[in-house]
Amino acid sequence: MTVEQTDILISGGGIAGLIATIAFGREGLNVLCVDPAPPVTDEQTEGADLRTTAFLQPARDLLDEIGLWPRLEDEATPLQVMRIADLGGSSAIRDFDAADISDRPFAWNLPNWLTRREALALIEEMENTEFRSGVGTADILTRESEARIRLTDGTQVRARLLIGADGKGSPVREALGIGLRKTSYPQKALSFAVTHPKPHGNVSTEIHRSGGPFTLVPLPNRDGQSCSAIVWMETDDEADRLLALDETAFEQEATERSNSYFGPLTLVSKPTGWPMTNQIARSFIGERTALIAEAAHAVPPIGAQGLNMSLADIAMLRDLIREAPDKLGTQAMLAGYDRARRLETRLRVAGIDMLNRVSMADTAPIKAARSLGMRALHDIAPIRRGLMRLGLGS
Ligand SMILES: Cc1cc2nc3c(=O)[nH]c(=O)nc-3n(C[C@H](O)[C@H](O)[C@H](O)COP(=O)(O)OP(=O)(O)OC[C@H]3O[C@@H](n4cnc5c(N)ncnc54)[C@H](O)[C@@H]3O)c2cc1C
């Protein structure tokens, strides 16, 4: 049996696990990241994650600090304005302009497959970080002094800190017996990219009509045409019906749903459907273990919060490690992480749950209240600026 020693073992090489590997590696620690699934780093390859992530200002700052941003910035589309168009009852369109609170855009949008490709390339270049694909976490035994992890290939790894970044169904969370507070919505988010004749002007546009929100997030031009990533939330039945349509029929429905806001939409990626849950782990820590990202919390894609909250987990852990490197993985360090991140996350998860319920509502009184509420929140400048700051997590 092979026995290995490392400072940190990260279970899960999704975007969060990869970014965590770089962040902790930059602190001079030896980091091993394992994932049973082979990484897909090419847009055309089957299984590529074609979703995009809008990295909010604090997330971009973290990516910059760890040296990943310079590899991404040329491909990132800045989001300067968030437009909410409520076309469900009385028509109301309001712009939230980043210039109101900052001299920088709100966020920068990047395809997930590309972020993954660049993160892996950087991990490869660094001397004290390793990404091992094809193996996962099998068993965990923790002691006060270390975590002992058996990988699926039989290797034993001894780590000062184990990080569970292994997604919504986290095997690390399960192995530690940490419970979940979870709501499954009878909804799916449809995710796809389109080109359209009217330019997006770096405005992220969220359209409310019937059904759930339909959000167009700017991407770089493609073949000389304006291009956007779309997240379209619908009830399960409606989402399944849409996913079964042929390309032309789907394009027609998407164009209709967008109120032809940018003209006819042409698909440039296959639509994928993502089940919607809102969940938070009852604890973000165990002995010698921390949960981050979707292993700790998952929310519907509203307000670009999901991965951004995950990067805040990583930044918090990184800061705690920096303050007291000799306390890596100790109860004192982990308790600080749990206290700070779980409270903040609980509030966001509850807020997103409420927004999701309101945005999916199809009854006339709620639609009218939603439209009125949106106008009031926007038109009172201090409230508008406060909300924008809250959205950014700052
Ligand atoms: C449609 C949509 C749009 C979104 N848009 C945004 C956005 O604009 N902004 C934003 O911030 N967020 C957004 N999100 C959320 C974001 O995509 C997720 O938070 C993120 O992709 C999840 O990353 P993760 O690394 O936590 O989990 P995952 O990507 O699920 O990674 C978990 C990894 O763990 C691995 N694993 C499983 N079992 C084991 C094991 N035994 N051992 C080791 N590894 C294991 C899996 O193979 C997987 O690779 C969106 C989500 C959706 C659905």
Side-chain angles (χ1 to χ4, degrees), residues 194-235:
V194 291
T195 53
H196 39 82
K198 293 190 194 154
H200 51 58
N202 291 355
V203 176
S204 170
T205 306
E206 186 173 308
I207 299 171
H208 294 260
R209 262 177 98 198
S210 57
F214 184 98
T215 309
L216 297 105
V217 190
L219 284 172
N221 284 2
R222 194 181 263 248
D223 304 327
Q225 290 250 49
S226 220
C227 188
S228 295
I230 293 184
V231 177
W232 180 3
M233 310 257 288
E234 276 298 351
T235 57

mmCIF file of all heavy atoms in Angstrom, residues 194-235:
data_model
loop_
_atom_site.group_PDB
_atom_site.id
_atom_site.type_symbol
_atom_site.label_atom_id
_atom_site.label_comp_id
_atom_site.label_asym_id
_atom_site.label_seq_id
_atom_site.Cartn_x
_atom_site.Cartn_y
_atom_site.Cartn_z
ATOM 1 N N VAL A 194 -26.242 31.797 -27.289
ATOM 2 C CA VAL A 194 -26.886 32.193 -28.553
ATOM 3 C C VAL A 194 -26.140 33.365 -29.183
ATOM 4 O O VAL A 194 -25.458 34.120 -28.482
ATOM 5 C CB VAL A 194 -28.347 32.664 -28.321
ATOM 6 C CG1 VAL A 194 -29.255 31.528 -27.901
ATOM 7 C CG2 VAL A 194 -28.413 33.810 -27.322
ATOM 8 N N THR A 195 -26.303 33.527 -30.485
ATOM 9 C CA THR A 195 -25.929 34.793 -31.120
ATOM 10 C C THR A 195 -27.223 35.547 -31.426
ATOM 11 O O THR A 195 -28.300 34.937 -31.506
ATOM 12 C CB THR A 195 -25.133 34.591 -32.420
ATOM 13 O OG1 THR A 195 -25.866 33.716 -33.269
ATOM 14 C CG2 THR A 195 -23.769 34.015 -32.153
ATOM 15 N N HIS A 196 -27.088 36.888 -31.560
ATOM 16 C CA HIS A 196 -28.278 37.714 -31.826
ATOM 17 C C HIS A 196 -27.859 38.970 -32.574
ATOM 18 O O HIS A 196 -26.738 39.463 -32.407
ATOM 19 C CB HIS A 196 -28.992 38.068 -30.518
ATOM 20 C CG HIS A 196 -28.085 38.387 -29.371
ATOM 21 N ND1 HIS A 196 -27.516 39.617 -29.192
ATOM 22 C CD2 HIS A 196 -27.626 37.616 -28.351
ATOM 23 C CE1 HIS A 196 -26.768 39.593 -28.101
ATOM 24 N NE2 HIS A 196 -26.806 38.392 -27.576
ATOM 25 N N PRO A 197 -28.781 39.531 -33.404
ATOM 26 C CA PRO A 197 -28.395 40.678 -34.233
ATOM 27 C C PRO A 197 -28.118 41.954 -33.439
ATOM 28 O O PRO A 197 -27.227 42.717 -33.799
ATOM 29 C CB PRO A 197 -29.591 40.880 -35.166
ATOM 30 C CG PRO A 197 -30.613 39.864 -34.818
ATOM 31 C CD PRO A 197 -30.107 38.990 -33.725
ATOM 32 N N LYS A 198 -28.883 42.212 -32.345
ATOM 33 C CA LYS A 198 -28.654 43.466 -31.613
ATOM 34 C C LYS A 198 -27.525 43.284 -30.612
ATOM 35 O O LYS A 198 -27.473 42.272 -29.908
ATOM 36 C CB LYS A 198 -29.929 43.879 -30.875
ATOM 37 C CG LYS A 198 -31.053 44.259 -31.798
ATOM 38 C CD LYS A 198 -32.204 44.886 -31.021
ATOM 39 C CE LYS A 198 -33.430 44.926 -31.917
ATOM 40 N NZ LYS A 198 -34.696 44.933 -31.203
ATOM 41 N N PRO A 199 -26.617 44.271 -30.500
ATOM 42 C CA PRO A 199 -25.489 44.116 -29.566
ATOM 43 C C PRO A 199 -25.942 44.164 -28.106
ATOM 44 O O PRO A 199 -26.915 44.847 -27.790
ATOM 45 C CB PRO A 199 -24.603 45.328 -29.885
ATOM 46 C CG PRO A 199 -25.480 46.299 -30.583
ATOM 47 C CD PRO A 199 -26.600 45.540 -31.224
ATOM 48 N N HIS A 200 -25.219 43.438 -27.236
ATOM 49 C CA HIS A 200 -25.618 43.428 -25.817
ATOM 50 C C HIS A 200 -25.063 44.622 -25.055
ATOM 51 O O HIS A 200 -25.549 44.965 -23.976
ATOM 52 C CB HIS A 200 -25.238 42.123 -25.136
ATOM 53 C CG HIS A 200 -23.814 41.702 -25.320
ATOM 54 N ND1 HIS A 200 -22.755 42.486 -24.948
ATOM 55 C CD2 HIS A 200 -23.282 40.571 -25.847
ATOM 56 C CE1 HIS A 200 -21.637 41.856 -25.229
ATOM 57 N NE2 HIS A 200 -21.913 40.691 -25.793
ATOM 58 N N GLY A 201 -24.049 45.286 -25.633
ATOM 59 C CA GLY A 201 -23.489 46.474 -24.991
ATOM 60 C C GLY A 201 -22.992 46.238 -23.569
ATOM 61 O O GLY A 201 -23.076 47.134 -22.720
ATOM 62 N N ASN A 202 -22.506 45.017 -23.282
ATOM 63 C CA ASN A 202 -22.024 44.652 -21.945
ATOM 64 C C ASN A 202 -23.083 44.832 -20.855
ATOM 65 O O ASN A 202 -22.776 45.121 -19.698
ATOM 66 C CB ASN A 202 -20.752 45.417 -21.581
ATOM 67 C CG ASN A 202 -19.574 44.973 -22.422
ATOM 68 O OD1 ASN A 202 -19.692 44.021 -23.208
ATOM 69 N ND2 ASN A 202 -18.455 45.636 -22.294
ATOM 70 N N VAL A 203 -24.337 44.668 -21.266
ATOM 71 C CA VAL A 203 -25.446 44.723 -20.305
ATOM 72 C C VAL A 203 -25.951 43.299 -20.075
ATOM 73 O O VAL A 203 -26.216 42.564 -21.021
ATOM 74 C CB VAL A 203 -26.608 45.583 -20.861
ATOM 75 C CG1 VAL A 203 -27.798 45.571 -19.900
ATOM 76 C CG2 VAL A 203 -26.136 47.003 -21.126
ATOM 77 N N SER A 204 -26.039 42.917 -18.798
ATOM 78 C CA SER A 204 -26.629 41.632 -18.463
ATOM 79 C C SER A 204 -28.124 41.872 -18.271
ATOM 80 O O SER A 204 -28.520 42.704 -17.460
ATOM 81 C CB SER A 204 -25.988 41.122 -17.172
ATOM 82 O OG SER A 204 -26.682 40.018 -16.699
ATOM 83 N N THR A 205 -28.958 41.176 -19.043
ATOM 84 C CA THR A 205 -30.393 41.502 -19.066
ATOM 85 C C THR A 205 -31.227 40.355 -18.519
ATOM 86 O O THR A 205 -31.156 39.233 -19.024
ATOM 87 C CB THR A 205 -30.833 41.807 -20.521
ATOM 88 O OG1 THR A 205 -29.980 42.826 -21.049
ATOM 89 C CG2 THR A 205 -32.270 42.280 -20.575
ATOM 90 N N GLU A 206 -31.995 40.649 -17.481
ATOM 91 C CA GLU A 206 -32.844 39.624 -16.871
ATOM 92 C C GLU A 206 -34.292 39.957 -17.210
ATOM 93 O O GLU A 206 -34.803 41.002 -16.812
ATOM 94 C CB GLU A 206 -32.625 39.644 -15.363
ATOM 95 C CG GLU A 206 -33.332 38.545 -14.617
ATOM 96 C CD GLU A 206 -32.926 38.520 -13.146
ATOM 97 O OE1 GLU A 206 -31.707 38.502 -12.859
ATOM 98 O OE2 GLU A 206 -33.812 38.558 -12.294
ATOM 99 N N ILE A 207 -34.926 39.071 -17.982
ATOM 100 C CA ILE A 207 -36.291 39.348 -18.442
ATOM 101 C C ILE A 207 -37.287 38.505 -17.645
ATOM 102 O O ILE A 207 -37.142 37.285 -17.540
ATOM 103 C CB ILE A 207 -36.428 39.035 -19.954
ATOM 104 C CG1 ILE A 207 -35.461 39.932 -20.748
ATOM 105 C CG2 ILE A 207 -37.862 39.221 -20.424
ATOM 106 C CD1 ILE A 207 -35.348 39.572 -22.208
ATOM 107 N N HIS A 208 -38.285 39.174 -17.074
ATOM 108 C CA HIS A 208 -39.359 38.458 -16.374
ATOM 109 C C HIS A 208 -40.635 38.602 -17.195
ATOM 110 O O HIS A 208 -41.004 39.711 -17.579
ATOM 111 C CB HIS A 208 -39.593 39.056 -14.983
ATOM 112 C CG HIS A 208 -38.426 38.851 -14.075
ATOM 113 N ND1 HIS A 208 -38.392 37.864 -13.132
ATOM 114 C CD2 HIS A 208 -37.240 39.502 -13.990
ATOM 115 C CE1 HIS A 208 -37.229 37.910 -12.491
ATOM 116 N NE2 HIS A 208 -36.514 38.893 -12.996
ATOM 117 N N ARG A 209 -41.268 37.476 -17.450
ATOM 118 C CA ARG A 209 -42.588 37.509 -18.108
ATOM 119 C C ARG A 209 -43.417 36.426 -17.451
ATOM 120 O O ARG A 209 -43.656 36.471 -16.262
ATOM 121 C CB ARG A 209 -42.423 37.221 -19.602
ATOM 122 C CG ARG A 209 -42.403 38.475 -20.448
ATOM 123 C CD ARG A 209 -42.174 38.123 -21.887
ATOM 124 N NE ARG A 209 -43.398 38.073 -22.651
ATOM 125 C CZ ARG A 209 -43.505 37.451 -23.827
ATOM 126 N NH1 ARG A 209 -42.490 36.791 -24.320
ATOM 127 N NH2 ARG A 209 -44.629 37.485 -24.492
ATOM 128 N N SER A 210 -43.773 35.376 -18.215
ATOM 129 C CA SER A 210 -44.395 34.230 -17.563
ATOM 130 C C SER A 210 -43.272 33.255 -17.223
ATOM 131 O O SER A 210 -42.165 33.367 -17.740
ATOM 132 C CB SER A 210 -45.380 33.576 -18.517
ATOM 133 O OG SER A 210 -44.689 33.210 -19.681
ATOM 134 N N GLY A 211 -43.527 32.287 -16.345
ATOM 135 C CA GLY A 211 -42.488 31.323 -15.975
ATOM 136 C C GLY A 211 -41.382 32.015 -15.198
ATOM 137 O O GLY A 211 -41.600 33.071 -14.605
ATOM 138 N N GLY A 212 -40.190 31.458 -15.214
ATOM 139 C CA GLY A 212 -39.102 32.009 -14.402
ATOM 140 C C GLY A 212 -38.285 33.038 -15.157
ATOM 141 O O GLY A 212 -38.564 33.331 -16.327
ATOM 142 N N PRO A 213 -37.273 33.607 -14.515
ATOM 143 C CA PRO A 213 -36.436 34.611 -15.160
ATOM 144 C C PRO A 213 -35.651 34.045 -16.350
ATOM 145 O O PRO A 213 -35.272 32.875 -16.352
ATOM 146 C CB PRO A 213 -35.485 35.058 -14.047
ATOM 147 C CG PRO A 213 -35.594 34.035 -12.976
ATOM 148 C CD PRO A 213 -36.905 33.341 -13.125
ATOM 149 N N PHE A 214 -35.396 34.905 -17.320
ATOM 150 C CA PHE A 214 -34.663 34.549 -18.542
ATOM 151 C C PHE A 214 -33.520 35.560 -18.617
ATOM 152 O O PHE A 214 -33.748 36.747 -18.853
ATOM 153 C CB PHE A 214 -35.636 34.706 -19.711
ATOM 154 C CG PHE A 214 -35.111 34.298 -21.058
ATOM 155 C CD1 PHE A 214 -35.408 33.054 -21.584
ATOM 156 C CD2 PHE A 214 -34.354 35.176 -21.824
ATOM 157 C CE1 PHE A 214 -34.965 32.682 -22.849
ATOM 158 C CE2 PHE A 214 -33.898 34.803 -23.084
ATOM 159 C CZ PHE A 214 -34.212 33.555 -23.592
ATOM 160 N N THR A 215 -32.308 35.110 -18.368
ATOM 161 C CA THR A 215 -31.192 36.054 -18.223
ATOM 162 C C THR A 215 -30.177 35.873 -19.342
ATOM 163 O O THR A 215 -29.719 34.750 -19.600
ATOM 164 C CB THR A 215 -30.490 35.849 -16.863
ATOM 165 O OG1 THR A 215 -31.496 35.874 -15.844
ATOM 166 C CG2 THR A 215 -29.470 36.923 -16.583
ATOM 167 N N LEU A 216 -29.839 36.985 -20.004
ATOM 168 C CA LEU A 216 -28.815 36.958 -21.052
ATOM 169 C C LEU A 216 -27.552 37.615 -20.502
ATOM 170 O O LEU A 216 -27.593 38.777 -20.075
ATOM 171 C CB LEU A 216 -29.272 37.732 -22.282
ATOM 172 C CG LEU A 216 -30.513 37.186 -23.000
ATOM 173 C CD1 LEU A 216 -31.718 38.046 -22.706
ATOM 174 C CD2 LEU A 216 -30.268 37.108 -24.499
ATOM 175 N N VAL A 217 -26.460 36.872 -20.483
ATOM 176 C CA VAL A 217 -25.207 37.405 -19.943
ATOM 177 C C VAL A 217 -24.187 37.500 -21.083
ATOM 178 O O VAL A 217 -23.933 36.506 -21.778
ATOM 179 C CB VAL A 217 -24.656 36.501 -18.816
ATOM 180 C CG1 VAL A 217 -23.503 37.179 -18.098
ATOM 181 C CG2 VAL A 217 -25.744 36.150 -17.817
ATOM 182 N N PRO A 218 -23.618 38.701 -21.300
ATOM 183 C CA PRO A 218 -22.742 38.925 -22.452
ATOM 184 C C PRO A 218 -21.517 37.997 -22.536
ATOM 185 O O PRO A 218 -20.881 37.709 -21.525
ATOM 186 C CB PRO A 218 -22.275 40.373 -22.257
ATOM 187 C CG PRO A 218 -23.330 41.007 -21.430
ATOM 188 C CD PRO A 218 -23.860 39.926 -20.542
ATOM 189 N N LEU A 219 -21.246 37.572 -23.752
ATOM 190 C CA LEU A 219 -20.023 36.815 -24.081
ATOM 191 C C LEU A 219 -19.319 37.566 -25.214
ATOM 192 O O LEU A 219 -19.925 38.429 -25.863
ATOM 193 C CB LEU A 219 -20.404 35.409 -24.553
ATOM 194 C CG LEU A 219 -20.824 34.400 -23.491
ATOM 195 C CD1 LEU A 219 -21.348 33.128 -24.150
ATOM 196 C CD2 LEU A 219 -19.663 34.064 -22.563
ATOM 197 N N PRO A 220 -18.059 37.235 -25.507
ATOM 198 C CA PRO A 220 -17.388 37.872 -26.649
ATOM 199 C C PRO A 220 -18.120 37.538 -27.953
ATOM 200 O O PRO A 220 -18.750 36.481 -28.060
ATOM 201 C CB PRO A 220 -15.997 37.237 -26.646
ATOM 202 C CG PRO A 220 -15.817 36.647 -25.298
ATOM 203 C CD PRO A 220 -17.182 36.309 -24.790
ATOM 204 N N ASN A 221 -18.003 38.438 -28.931
ATOM 205 C CA ASN A 221 -18.629 38.190 -30.237
ATOM 206 C C ASN A 221 -18.156 36.861 -30.813
ATOM 207 O O ASN A 221 -17.032 36.430 -30.567
ATOM 208 C CB ASN A 221 -18.246 39.294 -31.228
ATOM 209 C CG ASN A 221 -19.034 40.550 -30.943
ATOM 210 O OD1 ASN A 221 -19.816 40.602 -29.994
ATOM 211 N ND2 ASN A 221 -18.825 41.573 -31.764
ATOM 212 N N ARG A 222 -19.043 36.258 -31.600
ATOM 213 C CA ARG A 222 -18.697 34.991 -32.228
ATOM 214 C C ARG A 222 -19.021 35.123 -33.719
ATOM 215 O O ARG A 222 -20.142 35.483 -34.062
ATOM 216 C CB ARG A 222 -19.553 33.899 -31.596
ATOM 217 C CG ARG A 222 -19.103 32.501 -31.881
ATOM 218 C CD ARG A 222 -20.092 31.589 -31.196
ATOM 219 N NE ARG A 222 -19.576 31.173 -29.916
ATOM 220 C CZ ARG A 222 -19.211 29.909 -29.671
ATOM 221 N NH1 ARG A 222 -19.324 28.985 -30.572
ATOM 222 N NH2 ARG A 222 -18.756 29.577 -28.494
ATOM 223 N N ASP A 223 -18.042 34.859 -34.565
ATOM 224 C CA ASP A 223 -18.201 35.006 -36.020
ATOM 225 C C ASP A 223 -18.818 36.367 -36.364
ATOM 226 O O ASP A 223 -19.751 36.458 -37.177
ATOM 227 C CB ASP A 223 -19.087 33.882 -36.586
ATOM 228 C CG ASP A 223 -18.538 32.508 -36.230
ATOM 229 O OD1 ASP A 223 -17.306 32.379 -36.144
ATOM 230 O OD2 ASP A 223 -19.346 31.582 -36.017
ATOM 231 N N GLY A 224 -18.354 37.411 -35.688
ATOM 232 C CA GLY A 224 -18.819 38.770 -35.977
ATOM 233 C C GLY A 224 -20.214 39.088 -35.441
ATOM 234 O O GLY A 224 -20.741 40.163 -35.678
ATOM 235 N N GLN A 225 -20.803 38.144 -34.713
ATOM 236 C CA GLN A 225 -22.163 38.358 -34.186
ATOM 237 C C GLN A 225 -22.106 38.539 -32.674
ATOM 238 O O GLN A 225 -21.291 37.910 -31.993
ATOM 239 C CB GLN A 225 -23.005 37.107 -34.438
ATOM 240 C CG GLN A 225 -23.343 36.874 -35.865
ATOM 241 C CD GLN A 225 -24.837 37.131 -36.071
ATOM 242 O OE1 GLN A 225 -25.350 38.162 -35.642
ATOM 243 N NE2 GLN A 225 -25.515 36.208 -36.714
ATOM 244 N N SER A 226 -23.011 39.338 -32.146
ATOM 245 C CA SER A 226 -23.129 39.492 -30.702
ATOM 246 C C SER A 226 -23.550 38.152 -30.090
ATOM 247 O O SER A 226 -24.341 37.421 -30.699
ATOM 248 C CB SER A 226 -24.203 40.537 -30.425
ATOM 249 O OG SER A 226 -23.823 41.362 -29.380
ATOM 250 N N CYS A 227 -23.009 37.833 -28.922
ATOM 251 C CA CYS A 227 -23.220 36.497 -28.351
ATOM 252 C C CYS A 227 -23.526 36.622 -26.855
ATOM 253 O O CYS A 227 -22.952 37.475 -26.168
ATOM 254 C CB CYS A 227 -21.941 35.684 -28.577
ATOM 255 S SG CYS A 227 -22.063 33.952 -28.147
ATOM 256 N N SER A 228 -24.447 35.795 -26.357
ATOM 257 C CA SER A 228 -24.778 35.814 -24.926
ATOM 258 C C SER A 228 -24.967 34.402 -24.404
ATOM 259 O O SER A 228 -25.418 33.517 -25.144
ATOM 260 C CB SER A 228 -26.087 36.569 -24.672
ATOM 261 O OG SER A 228 -25.962 37.927 -24.991
ATOM 262 N N ALA A 229 -24.667 34.232 -23.117
ATOM 263 C CA ALA A 229 -25.015 32.993 -22.423
ATOM 264 C C ALA A 229 -26.391 33.214 -21.809
ATOM 265 O O ALA A 229 -26.677 34.302 -21.312
ATOM 266 C CB ALA A 229 -24.008 32.710 -21.323
ATOM 267 N N ILE A 230 -27.232 32.183 -21.864
ATOM 268 C CA ILE A 230 -28.586 32.336 -21.314
ATOM 269 C C ILE A 230 -28.821 31.337 -20.196
ATOM 270 O O ILE A 230 -28.430 30.168 -20.290
ATOM 271 C CB ILE A 230 -29.647 32.135 -22.423
ATOM 272 C CG1 ILE A 230 -29.538 33.293 -23.422
ATOM 273 C CG2 ILE A 230 -31.057 32.063 -21.833
ATOM 274 C CD1 ILE A 230 -30.568 33.307 -24.508
ATOM 275 N N VAL A 231 -29.428 31.825 -19.124
ATOM 276 C CA VAL A 231 -29.969 30.932 -18.098
ATOM 277 C C VAL A 231 -31.468 31.197 -18.053
ATOM 278 O O VAL A 231 -31.903 32.326 -17.818
ATOM 279 C CB VAL A 231 -29.322 31.192 -16.714
ATOM 280 C CG1 VAL A 231 -29.972 30.295 -15.663
ATOM 281 C CG2 VAL A 231 -27.824 30.933 -16.759
ATOM 282 N N TRP A 232 -32.239 30.154 -18.309
ATOM 283 C CA TRP A 232 -33.692 30.261 -18.430
ATOM 284 C C TRP A 232 -34.309 29.296 -17.425
ATOM 285 O O TRP A 232 -34.173 28.098 -17.558
ATOM 286 C CB TRP A 232 -34.067 29.892 -19.870
ATOM 287 C CG TRP A 232 -35.522 29.929 -20.216
ATOM 288 C CD1 TRP A 232 -36.568 30.304 -19.421
ATOM 289 C CD2 TRP A 232 -36.095 29.571 -21.482
ATOM 290 N NE1 TRP A 232 -37.738 30.203 -20.116
ATOM 291 C CE2 TRP A 232 -37.483 29.764 -21.386
ATOM 292 C CE3 TRP A 232 -35.564 29.121 -22.695
ATOM 293 C CZ2 TRP A 232 -38.343 29.498 -22.450
ATOM 294 C CZ3 TRP A 232 -36.413 28.866 -23.747
ATOM 295 C CH2 TRP A 232 -37.797 29.055 -23.633
ATOM 296 N N MET A 233 -34.944 29.851 -16.413
ATOM 297 C CA MET A 233 -35.516 29.006 -15.357
ATOM 298 C C MET A 233 -36.970 28.688 -15.697
ATOM 299 O O MET A 233 -37.742 29.595 -16.013
ATOM 300 C CB MET A 233 -35.468 29.740 -14.025
ATOM 301 C CG MET A 233 -34.115 30.316 -13.697
ATOM 302 S SD MET A 233 -33.226 29.363 -12.515
ATOM 303 C CE MET A 233 -34.149 29.729 -11.068
ATOM 304 N N GLU A 234 -37.317 27.422 -15.604
ATOM 305 C CA GLU A 234 -38.687 27.006 -15.886
ATOM 306 C C GLU A 234 -39.100 25.891 -14.946
ATOM 307 O O GLU A 234 -38.252 25.261 -14.309
ATOM 308 C CB GLU A 234 -38.793 26.489 -17.341
ATOM 309 C CG GLU A 234 -38.989 27.571 -18.390
ATOM 310 C CD GLU A 234 -40.286 28.369 -18.222
ATOM 311 O OE1 GLU A 234 -41.144 27.991 -17.399
ATOM 312 O OE2 GLU A 234 -40.430 29.391 -18.912
ATOM 313 N N THR A 235 -40.397 25.634 -14.886
ATOM 314 C CA THR A 235 -40.860 24.478 -14.116
ATOM 315 C C THR A 235 -40.317 23.217 -14.805
ATOM 316 O O THR A 235 -40.018 23.235 -16.005
ATOM 317 C CB THR A 235 -42.404 24.402 -14.123
ATOM 318 O OG1 THR A 235 -42.826 24.354 -15.483
ATOM 319 C CG2 THR A 235 -43.012 25.616 -13.427
#
